[in-house]
Amino acid sequence: MNPPRFVLCRADFLLPLAAPDRTERIADGYVLSEGEVLREVGRYTPEIGRRIRAACGSELLILGDAVADDGVPKMNGVLMPSFVMAHGHDD
């Protein structure tokens, strides 16, 4: 089976860790990726969820298993989309 083209993840907090404001903290944030590319990052709203689900259709994987009113569960955690290769051993 092929991996999904798009992946949507929503969490309690989002820490962008990138310009223009590295100190920004976003409550109820989301990340939309297409393969290895981040397509959207920001504050989540139900309108954003509907737009993404309509645009991506069956090619979208939504992470999380909690029941959500709008179909996009919010995970109890922090998204740090620019924190790549947090720990690894590339031998």
Side-chain angles (χ1 to χ4, degrees):
M1 185 163 96
N2 292 331
R5 180 174 172 196
F6 301 98
V7 177
L8 175 61
C9 185
R10 176 182 173 201
D12 291 330
F13 295 98
L14 171 72
L15 304 179
L17 300 177
D21 184 0
R22 295 174 194 268
T23 64
E24 184 176 14
R25 305 298 181 253
I26 297 173
D28 196 355
Y30 77 99
V31 173
L32 174 67
S33 64
E34 181 178 5
E36 296 181 8
V37 176
L38 296 181
R39 291 292 174 204
E40 295 182 27
V41 175
R43 186 173 319 280
Y44 181 83
T45 66
E47 293 78 24
I48 288 172
R50 285 190 290 275
R51 177 183 51 78
I52 290 171
R53 289 173 46 214
C56 299
S58 64
E59 297 182 295
L60 176 67
L61 170 65
I62 299 174
L63 299 180
D65 56 5
V67 176
D69 291 341
D70 68 348
V72 180
K74 180 170 59 169
M75 293 192 272
N76 183 14
V78 178
L79 295 171
M80 298 182 348
S82 61
F83 198 60
V84 178
M85 197 59 176
H87 179 82
H89 300 274
D90 296 335
D91 293 31

